Amino acid sequence: MAYALLASLPPVIGLYTSLFPVLVYFIFGTSRHLSIGTFAVMSIVIGGVTERLAPDSAFIVNGTNGSLIHDFEARDALRVKVACSLTVLTGIFQILFFVVRFGFVVTYLSEPLIRGYTTGSACHVCASQLKYLFGLTPVRFTGPLSLIYTVVDICRMLPETQVPELVVSLVSLTVLIVAKEINDCYKQKLPMPIPVELIVIIAATIITHFCGLETKYKLDVVGPIPSGLQAPQVPDTSFFPEMIGDAFTVAIVGYAINISLGKTFGLKHGYKVDSNQELVALGLSNTIGSFFQCYSVTCSLSRSLIQESTGGKTQVAGVISSIIVLITVLKIGALFEDLPKAILATIVFANLKGMFKQFLDVPMLWRTNKVDLLVWLVTLISTILLNLDLGLAVSIGFSMLTFIFRTQRPRYSILGHVPGTDLYLDTDAYGGTEEIPGIKIFRSSTTICYTNAEMYLEALQGKTGIEISKLVGAKKKRDAALKSKKEKAEAKAKTEEKTQQKQKAVRDMSNLAISLTELTEGKVSAGLSQGNSAAVTSTNGLSKGQVNSAYQHDSDLDTGCHGDENIYEEPHYGDEEKEGTCGSDVHSIILDISSTGFVDTVTTNTLKNIFRDFGEININIYLAGCQACVVDQLDTAGFFSESIPKSRLFVTVHDAVLHILKKLGLKDFVLDVPCSTPM
């Protein structure tokens, strides 16, 4: 009833909201401890919509004596219509979310986020109830920093505190806390928890009624509660265009609160809450409830905690509470007209103790995981400062950033063999492991995807000590040098061949000239009886000199050309190249990708490049630990080919090592694995 006042609706609407949706959730819900009904923050959000579409200024009318009066009945009737329209639209959104399986968003709600979010929600609930404890009427604030503004306004109004209401609040709060501590201390001995809330409500109502505290001290009480149920009505759809954004926000916030608290109880008591089914349960609860003058519901922190603390273990407890509400509405509602609102506020306060105990998560997370602590703190602060809608969005966004940050900084390691086993562990983290000569086993702690594929390649080169770019560049330079030397040798061979042909032609011409000379000399000697010996001597000297000069020149050239018999020499490699093209004794690399759950296009191309680049420097690459889905995705992406056959895939690292050693004909020292101990 108090939450209905927060929504600017008549108190009896709060009773309706605590009746019909609970029965629907009993059928479709999956949480055993959630109590569906009114919630402070939801009430505040809905109150902002009802006041915007049905403001007080629109219901000022002229009185009988000419004065201006407020038509509260017409205002409340219109606000109920607005609330019902908002509720049915919210339910439709939640059912649509179920159709598109929007429940997956719960996977991004980590436990630190949920606990920080519920703690921030508890702060909002406290701020909404402070005015009843002090008997104040602060200004209603909405939007970011509304909680801060509300607390500041209440602090400003503290001098106006109603002392009687403060005394009632302190007394009832003390009784509630003491009784709950007794329940906690003696829960093993007590047959059932003491129903202190019910006792306090009955006692406060009786005392207020018979002592006349309302008239004497002006205590703020619940007021008239109409008896009976209203006939179902179809919500007015004409308001939809003006509230579609608000309905979407309420649907998201209501689901987030419901699933976060539901997961908290599920973790505590060891059962699973179906996130998609919760969407159906909430959607139907809102849709059906809107026909019975109910406003948007979600799990109530206070009611859920009361239900859990009083021993409720199933939704039957919710049905019983609905029956009590039904009896109250039908028969005994008028008896609670004198119930002080401060009593309702103290009951809410007392049952938030469990939520505030979650502040103890801070030292625990500081010791165990500082990233989760940061998520918890950011969630709490954003929820307090930005309200539940924006606070939830910021919290999920920040949680996703931490996830991305972690995937961007995985742990890369080189694995070594544990002697006597088929295990391969991180050589840096575990002592006693031995690297297999010539084989590097590389593993990443997370999935290889487009966000870290480049980092994976860099880590592979860094851990193995093989810089592909430099080695490939050096290999290309050597190949270019060899090609240039070969081309020079071929050119030199062609030049030599031409020279030899030229020398042969010269020799042929010389031989022909000698033959002609001898023939001429023979004819002259036979035909003349007398000759001039000086002329003959001169002719012989000229002919022989010309021929000898040319021949001697050619002979010198020929000798010079054949001075170097070894035209092409094999290049001389330094010490690095004697050990292998890559400058080390590594001949095989095994990529352990057992942690990879999927591959994208970037990952596929990166693996292709690794096979190609390392293959250029004569290093074989093998894949080990591939999941079946990863193999299918690689096959679909066209990863396998003649250069990358499926024979490079192995189920385990050990299988890949055995294959490499067998292929190289090396001693198989990893086969010495002890047999399992007989059972």
Side-chain angles (χ1 to χ4, degrees):
M1 290 188 290
Y3 288 157
L5 295 177
L6 285 177
S8 300
L9 298 171
V12 71
I13 301 301
L15 292 177
Y16 297 155
T17 306
S18 300
L19 173 60
F20 297 104
V22 175
L23 298 176
V24 177
Y25 187 83
F26 169 74
I27 299 173
F28 296 99
T30 59
S31 175
R32 304 173 189 172
H33 294 86
L34 292 184
S35 179
I36 296 298
T38 57
F39 181 55
V41 177
M42 296 283 286
S43 300
I44 293 173
V45 174
I46 293 169
V49 178
T50 57
E51 290 185 352
R52 186 183 78 240
L53 299 181
D56 291 334
S57 58
F59 297 93
I60 299 177
V61 297
N62 294 321
T64 55
N65 56 357
S67 60
L68 299 178
I69 60 174
H70 288 82
D71 189 356
F72 293 116
E73 292 185 2
R75 181 202 65 184
D76 290 344
L78 182 59
R79 287 182 176 179
V80 170
K81 289 184 178 180
V82 171
C84 291
S85 300
L86 179 64
T87 301
V88 71
L89 188 57
T90 299
I92 292 172
F93 273 128
Q94 289 171 334
I95 294 175
L96 290 177
F97 291 159
F98 164 75
V99 173
V100 298
R101 291 295 187 267
F102 187 76
F104 74 91
V105 74
V106 74
T107 59
Y108 299 102
L109 301 179
S110 63
E111 184 178 356
L113 187 148
I114 292 173
R115 294 177 70 85
Y117 187 71
T118 52
T119 304
S121 301
C123 294
H124 279 277
V125 174
C126 284
S128 68
Q129 301 298 308
L130 286 175
K131 61 181 181 180
Y132 298 114
L133 267 65
F134 296 100
L136 303 174
T137 54
V139 179
R140 177 189 293 269
F141 297 97
T142 59
L145 301 178
S146 60
L147 185 145
I148 305 299
Y149 293 145
T150 300
V151 173
V152 170
D153 193 41
I154 290 176
C155 293
R156 181 183 58 82
M157 299 179 64
L158 283 179
E160 304 174 15
T161 300
Q162 300 294 325
V163 177
E165 294 205 16
L166 180 60
V167 172
V168 171
S169 301
L170 293 176
V171 172
S172 61
L173 189 60
T174 302
V175 173
L176 288 169
I177 293 175
V178 171
K180 285 185 172 296
E181 290 298 324
I182 294 175
N183 284 336
D184 291 339
C185 293
Y186 298 99
K187 59 182 178 182
Q188 302 296 335
K189 298 180 179 180
L190 293 174
M192 61 174 292
I194 301 173
V196 61
E197 291 88 357
L198 180 61
I199 295 173
V200 169
I201 287 176
I202 294 174
T205 303
I206 293 174
I207 293 173
T208 303
H209 178 74
F210 288 102
C211 296
L213 299 181
E214 179 186 3
T215 56
K216 289 182 180 179
Y217 301 105
K218 298 182 179 179
L219 285 179
D220 192 8
V221 296
V222 171
I225 299 177
S227 298
L229 299 174
Q230 301 294 323
Q233 298 178 356
V234 178
D236 189 353
T237 58
S238 62
F239 294 109
F240 283 3
E242 302 177 72
M243 60 177 58
I244 187 168
D246 300 292
F248 185 84
T249 300
V250 171
I252 295 293
V253 173
Y255 172 68
I257 296 171
N258 190 83
I259 197 63
S260 62
L261 192 60
K263 285 190 66 176
T264 300
F265 285 129
L267 289 172
K268 182 177 180 180
H269 296 279
Y271 62 88
K272 182 180 179 181
V273 176
D274 189 335
S275 56
N276 282 305
Q277 185 63 29
E278 287 298 301
L279 278 172
V280 175
L282 279 180
L284 292 176
S285 296
N286 284 321
T287 303
I288 296 175
S290 64
F291 288 84
F292 295 92
Q293 296 187 359
C294 302
Y295 65 90
S296 298
V297 296
T298 185
C299 68
S300 170
L301 283 175
S302 56
R303 285 178 51 173
S304 298
L305 291 171
I306 292 173
Q307 181 169 307
E308 193 244 357
S309 63
T310 53
K313 296 182 179 180
T314 66
Q315 282 299 321
V316 174
V319 174
I320 295 174
S321 67
S322 297
I323 294 174
I324 295 174
V325 171
L326 178 62
I327 296 173
T328 302
V329 171
L330 294 178
K331 299 296 182 182
I332 63 175
L335 300 179
F336 293 98
E337 292 180 358
D338 293 328
L339 174 64
K341 293 180 180 178
I343 299 296
L344 299 175
T346 56
I347 292 175
V348 172
F349 266 103
N351 286 280
L352 289 176
K353 183 183 70 171
M355 293 289 105
F356 286 119
K357 278 187 175 181
Q358 293 179 157
F359 277 105
L360 298 176
D361 291 350
V362 173
M364 183 270 294
L365 292 175
W366 174 263
R367 294 190 303 269
T368 57
N369 194 315
K370 292 181 174 58
V371 176
D372 284 345
L373 172 62
L374 194 59
V375 171
W376 193 96
L377 292 175
V378 169
T379 303
L380 174 70
I381 294 172
S382 60
T383 303
I384 290 175
L385 298 182
L386 303 178
N387 280 351
L388 292 187
D389 46 2
L390 294 178
L392 179 64
V394 171
S395 303
I396 294 178
F398 183 79
S399 181
M400 289 299 299
L401 285 178
T402 61
F403 173 76
I404 294 172
F405 178 76
R406 291 179 182 182
T407 57
Q408 282 293 92
R409 298 190 62 184
R411 178 181 177 86
Y412 298 107
S413 56
I414 294 293
L415 304 185
H417 176 243
V418 179
T421 70
D422 58 355
L423 300 177
Y424 296 83
L425 304 177
D426 186 354
T427 55
D428 295 333
Y430 298 93
T433 57
E434 300 175 354
E435 287 193 46
I436 303 173
I439 302 176
K440 292 287 186 181
I441 307 171
F442 181 73
R443 181 172 65 188
S444 170
S445 62
T446 187
T447 293
I448 311 169
C449 58
Y450 72 95
T451 61
N452 57 18
E454 184 177 354
M455 188 180 302
Y456 181 85
L457 179 58
E458 294 175 356
L460 174 62
Q461 297 180 71
K463 287 288 186 179
T464 58
I466 302 173
E467 298 186 18
I468 296 178
S469 58
K470 291 184 178 180
L471 295 174
V472 171
K475 183 176 182 296
K476 289 181 178 179
K477 288 181 180 179
R478 288 195 301 272
D479 292 343
L482 292 175
K483 183 178 180 181
S484 177
K485 187 174 290 187
K486 184 177 181 180
E487 290 175 351
K488 289 180 180 180
E490 290 176 352
K492 189 175 182 180
K494 290 180 180 180
T495 303
E496 180 186 358
E497 183 180 356
K498 291 180 180 179
T499 303
Q500 290 176 352
Q501 291 176 356
K502 183 178 179 181
Q503 290 174 351
K504 182 179 180 182
V506 171
R507 285 195 298 268
D508 292 343
M509 292 177 65
S510 299
N511 293 334
L512 179 60
I514 293 171
S515 299
L516 291 174
T517 301
E518 291 176 350
L519 179 61
T520 303
E521 288 179 351
K523 290 181 178 181
V524 170
S525 175
L528 296 176
S529 58
Q530 294 178 352
N532 190 343
S533 59
V536 172
T537 303
S538 176
T539 303
N540 290 337
L542 178 63
S543 300
K544 187 180 290 186
Q546 289 174 347
V547 173
N548 289 341
S549 175
Y551 180 77
Q552 182 65 34
H553 176 70
D554 290 340
S555 298
D556 292 339
L557 289 174
D558 183 63
T559 303
C561 290
H562 287 81
D564 185 9
E565 294 295 330
N566 190 4
I567 298 174
Y568 171 45
E569 292 182 355
E570 291 293 332
H572 175 70
Y573 295 102
D575 293 336
E576 290 184 358
E577 292 155 3
K578 288 181 181 179
E579 295 180 354
T581 309
C582 64
S584 67
D585 60 351
V586 176
H587 53 74
S588 302
I589 295 178
I590 302 173
L591 303 180
D592 182 2
I593 58 174
S594 56
S595 61
T596 298
F598 68 92
V599 291
D600 51 25
T601 304
V602 177
T603 305
T604 303
N605 292 334
T606 300
L607 292 176
K608 283 183 178 179
N609 294 337
I610 291 174
F611 273 84
R612 181 198 63 200
D613 295 341
F614 280 90
E616 290 184 2
I617 56 177
N618 300 327
I619 295 180
N620 295 320
I621 303 295
Y622 301 89
L623 299 180
C626 297
Q627 301 181 37
C629 60
V630 174
V631 176
D632 292 339
Q633 292 168 8
L634 289 174
D635 201 3
T636 303
F639 175 76
F640 300 106
S641 60
E642 292 183 0
S643 59
I644 310 177
K646 282 192 175 181
S647 58
R648 296 290 183 94
L649 294 178
F650 293 91
V651 178
T652 65
V653 173
H654 190 61
D655 292 336
V657 171
L658 294 179
H659 171 79
I660 295 170
L661 295 177
K662 182 178 180 181
K663 181 179 178 182
L664 297 176
L666 300 177
K667 183 179 179 181
D668 194 359
F669 66 93
V670 295
L671 284 177
D672 186 19
V673 180
C675 299
S676 301
T677 303
M679 295 297 292

